[in-house]
Amino acid sequence: MVAGSYVFMSKYPVTTPVRLADNEHLRLSGLLWPEAKERLADSAYVTIESVGRGQVILFAFDPTFRTWLAGSERLFINAVLLGPGMGTSPPVPW
């Protein structure tokens, strides 16, 4: 699901596990202007940033929009369930 006029890019040290396809392979349904296709190509969909001893997982668009797309909901659930254990520090030392 892509909506709006913002395009998110990322650079090191931000981890980008999900990107949109390159310009040649990007396919979207609906109205897609050629200029928008060039801007959206290779843009970040999901990024992970370290903050203190934890992390923030950012989605470029609402992954649960009207519970319409099952694939993006799976990304969100994985971020909620698996995200806290991947790349964060434990709150209490063992």
Side-chain angles (χ1 to χ4, degrees):
M1 182 70 182
V2 176
S5 59
Y6 294 111
V7 175
F8 298 100
M9 305 302 285
S10 64
K11 62 181 180 178
Y12 184 80
V14 175
T15 305
T16 308
V18 181
R19 287 188 182 277
L20 296 180
D22 62 359
N23 194 6
E24 184 178 319
H25 296 98
L26 184 65
R27 301 284 184 260
L28 298 174
S29 63
L31 180 61
L32 178 63
W33 294 97
E35 302 86 27
K37 183 176 180 181
E38 290 176 14
R39 286 184 62 201
L40 287 171
D42 291 321
S43 64
Y45 183 77
V46 178
T47 61
I48 303 172
E49 299 183 28
S50 296
V51 177
R53 292 175 41 176
Q55 63 185 4
V56 176
I57 300 173
L58 302 166
F59 287 82
F61 311 104
D62 183 3
T64 60
F65 179 74
R66 297 186 185 172
T67 64
W68 193 39
L69 300 170
S72 63
E73 285 182 8
R74 288 184 186 138
L75 286 173
F76 175 72
I77 291 171
N78 282 341
V80 170
L81 297 179
L82 300 176
M86 307 257 180
T88 60
S89 300
V92 178
W94 294 93

